[in-house]
Amino acid sequence: MNPKLLFWIPALLRVSFMFVVAGLTWWLFGLLAALVVAIVLLLGQVTLQLSYLSQLSAWLDDSHSAKLPDGWGPWTDVFSRLYRLRRDDERSQAELTEWLTRFRQAMHLLPDGVAIMDDVLFLEWCNPAAERHLGLTLERDKGMRVTNLIRHPDFIDYIILGRYEQPLTLRLRDRKLICQIIPFENRRQILVTHDSTESARIEEMRRDFIANASHELRTPLTVIVGFLEIASSTPNLDAVSRMAHLKLMTEQGHRMQRLIEDMLTLSRLESVDYPMRPEQVAVAALVEEVLQEARALSGGQHAVSASVDGPDIRGSVEELRSAFGNLASNAVRYTPAGGTVHLCWQNGPNGPQFTVSDSGIGIDHQHIARLTERFYRVDKSRSRETQGTGLGLAIVRHVLLRHSATLTIKSEAGKGSCFTVSFPQPINGK
């Protein structure tokens, strides 16, 4: 039925009832009594309506504390509709609050910074990533102009020019940020920041690796090709010269071989398709092998010793042999003749430790943080003399990562070095 009819029919029935009662009173008691009854009935209706209106007004002023009555007559339908509206509104508010909470959680977890500004660049909100990237604090900086908070000339120029379709690369707080402003609505703008410091570092390392690998391979190839050209153009070359050339070509060929083997080892260690298969490692036997290799490399020019007083561990024997061997060979190569090299396997304060100490040339503090980078060399001329590939410590770093171990380097120029590999404490001796 039509809602209007549902409202008016009961109202007309109540008015008709009043007229019927007044008419019966007139017929039974006269006109004056009928008027009195009609006025009383009308005042009752008006009082009832005003009472409901008063309760409705109180509810509208404070819909959460005031309570609506059940109502009578058409008010029943009015109050029931208001109850439904309030229930639907509370449900919508709960859903909106839930979605807002999820949105804030998502914004807090985003690695990219997001800052919301009004049309005149006053900060309204930002997530933790934006606080880290831009040096902001939402509680302190909310309501302040962003150009007063980020006083970088390139950022100011970006704002002035207003060419927001292109991102801005910004060096800020020792980080490389890619920033872009995105207008939305009519009076809002979003500042998005992406920290590309790590990706830029990886890209730089990739370029350096390619350049260094090309350089390292080109040098021996140049020597080999040069001698081959001499041999082909001088068929009557004397035996002494020919043997000297062959010796140098052999050395350069071995150098290329070592370099390629180290590069393949690094690639294998980094590959997700090359999982480590742990086994019980007899560390005493492993240290003895490394000791003999170090002595062979030294050729009797150094005092190379070892001590073993620690437990066996689980890991990859081949990988640990490569890591320990690289540390030991580096110690021999960078220790002048007559110096000492000592290998030590022992229990440390937090677990087993393998230490290689020497009395060699040492390393300046400024170089220590970069020693495990590929092809990084403190002294390139010295490295060529010692026949190093520049990848040994990079291999050590990757092997230790796969064994949950850490490398600590203590060194001082002219006073030797100490490389310590710390393994986690074995569980139940395994």
Side-chain angles (χ1 to χ4, degrees):
M1 185 179 293
N2 193 315
K4 292 183 178 179
L5 292 177
L6 290 175
F7 176 82
W8 285 109
I9 288 176
L12 292 173
L13 289 175
R14 284 191 294 273
V15 172
S16 300
F17 174 76
M18 290 172 57
F19 277 114
V20 169
V21 171
L24 288 174
T25 304
W26 187 3
W27 181 60
L28 294 174
F29 303 103
L31 179 60
L32 182 59
L35 289 174
V36 171
V37 169
I39 291 172
V40 169
L41 291 175
L42 183 61
L43 287 175
Q45 286 289 329
V46 170
T47 302
L48 181 64
Q49 305 305 318
L50 290 176
S51 173
Y52 284 140
L53 283 174
S54 175
Q55 295 180 63
L56 176 60
S57 177
W59 183 83
L60 291 174
D61 290 337
D62 188 1
S63 60
H64 293 286
S65 62
K67 182 180 179 181
L68 280 173
D70 293 331
W72 181 79
W75 287 102
T76 303
D77 184 57
V78 171
F79 290 148
S80 64
R81 289 187 183 185
L82 288 174
Y83 273 122
R84 286 195 298 270
L85 287 174
R86 184 171 67 176
R87 188 174 61 250
D88 293 342
D89 180 64
E90 289 175 348
R91 187 184 297 114
S92 299
Q93 288 288 343
E95 292 176 355
L96 180 61
T97 301
E98 181 181 358
W99 279 107
L100 184 59
T101 302
R102 291 181 180 178
F103 172 78
R104 288 178 174 172
Q105 290 175 346
M107 290 296 103
H108 276 68
L109 295 175
L110 274 181
D112 291 344
V114 178
I116 299 179
M117 308 171 294
D118 62 15
D119 57 336
V120 289
L121 303 179
F122 283 94
L123 180 66
E124 295 185 347
W125 180 85
C126 66
N127 67 348
E131 291 182 326
R132 293 192 303 271
H133 293 171
L134 303 172
L136 304 176
T137 301
L138 182 58
E139 294 181 358
R140 179 194 64 200
D141 299 328
K142 184 177 180 180
M144 298 186 66
R145 191 176 176 85
V146 173
T147 49
N148 293 333
L149 301 172
I150 310 171
R151 304 191 65 83
H152 193 286
D154 293 341
F155 183 75
I156 301 298
D157 291 342
Y158 183 66
I159 295 294
I160 293 173
L161 293 175
R163 297 174 182 173
Y164 299 151
E165 65 277 2
Q166 295 295 328
L168 169 69
T169 300
L170 201 63
R171 287 282 181 180
L172 193 66
R173 299 168 61 84
D174 298 325
R175 312 295 292 176
K176 182 180 180 181
L177 302 177
I178 299 176
C179 307
Q180 188 166 14
I181 292 180
I182 305 171
F184 80 107
E185 296 182 349
N186 292 327
R187 302 176 60 84
R188 296 290 184 277
Q189 298 181 85
I190 299 178
L191 171 60
V192 180
T193 61
H194 174 71
D195 189 348
S196 62
T197 307
E198 187 63 20
S199 58
R201 187 185 68 83
I202 293 173
E203 177 63 20
E204 183 179 358
M205 288 178 58
R206 184 189 67 83
R207 289 196 301 267
D208 290 345
F209 175 76
I210 293 173
N212 288 324
S214 301
H215 175 75
E216 295 293 335
L217 289 171
R218 182 175 57 192
T219 301
L221 280 174
T222 301
V223 173
I224 293 173
V225 171
F227 287 143
L228 289 174
E229 289 176 349
I230 292 174
S232 61
S233 62
T234 313
N236 298 323
L237 190 66
D238 62 277
V240 175
S241 298
R242 185 167 60 254
M243 290 303 297
H245 291 178
L246 289 174
K247 180 183 177 182
L248 288 172
M249 284 192 292
T250 301
E251 291 176 353
Q252 295 300 321
H254 288 160
R255 180 182 173 187
M256 276 199 304
Q257 186 178 22
R258 288 194 301 271
L259 177 62
I260 292 172
E261 287 175 353
D262 283 351
M263 290 171 64
L264 291 174
T265 299
L266 264 180
S267 176
R268 186 169 61 250
L269 291 172
E270 292 177 339
S271 175
V272 295
D273 298 325
Y274 185 69
M276 187 181 71
R277 296 177 175 83
E279 54 188 316
Q280 194 71 9
V281 180
V283 182
L286 177 60
V287 172
E288 181 63 27
E289 290 181 26
V290 174
L291 174 65
Q292 296 305 321
E293 292 174 0
R295 285 175 173 171
L297 180 63
S298 170
Q301 298 181 32
H302 308 85
V304 185
S305 59
S307 60
V308 177
D309 185 20
D312 291 341
I313 59 173
R314 289 189 63 79
S316 168
V317 176
E318 292 302 320
E319 292 182 16
L320 291 176
R321 181 184 291 112
S322 174
F324 291 2
N326 271 301
L327 292 175
S329 62
N330 279 349
V332 172
R333 288 191 176 100
Y334 292 99
T335 299
T340 61
V341 175
H342 183 67
L343 316 181
C344 178
W345 175 255
Q346 63 182 354
N347 265 321
N350 299 314
Q353 291 182 339
F354 177 70
T355 304
V356 179
S357 54
D358 62 65
S359 60
I361 60 175
I363 308 164
D364 282 332
H365 180 74
Q366 61 182 342
H367 298 290
I368 291 178
R370 300 190 59 189
L371 284 180
T372 57
E373 293 181 11
R374 301 177 183 186
F375 295 114
Y376 184 81
R377 292 187 174 94
V378 177
D379 186 343
K380 293 185 178 180
S381 61
R382 173 79 181 179
S383 181
R384 281 193 289 270
E385 292 174 6
T386 58
Q387 299 296 313
T389 64
L391 296 175
L393 289 179
I395 292 174
V396 171
R397 177 167 63 92
H398 281 81
V399 170
L400 300 189
L401 284 174
R402 288 163 63 87
H403 287 78
S404 301
T406 58
L407 176 65
T408 305
I409 305 172
K410 295 181 180 180
S411 184
E412 189 175 344
K415 296 185 179 180
S417 304
C418 180
F419 289 74
T420 302
V421 176
S422 301
F423 291 87
Q425 186 70 46
I427 301 176
N428 298 326
K430 296 183 180 179

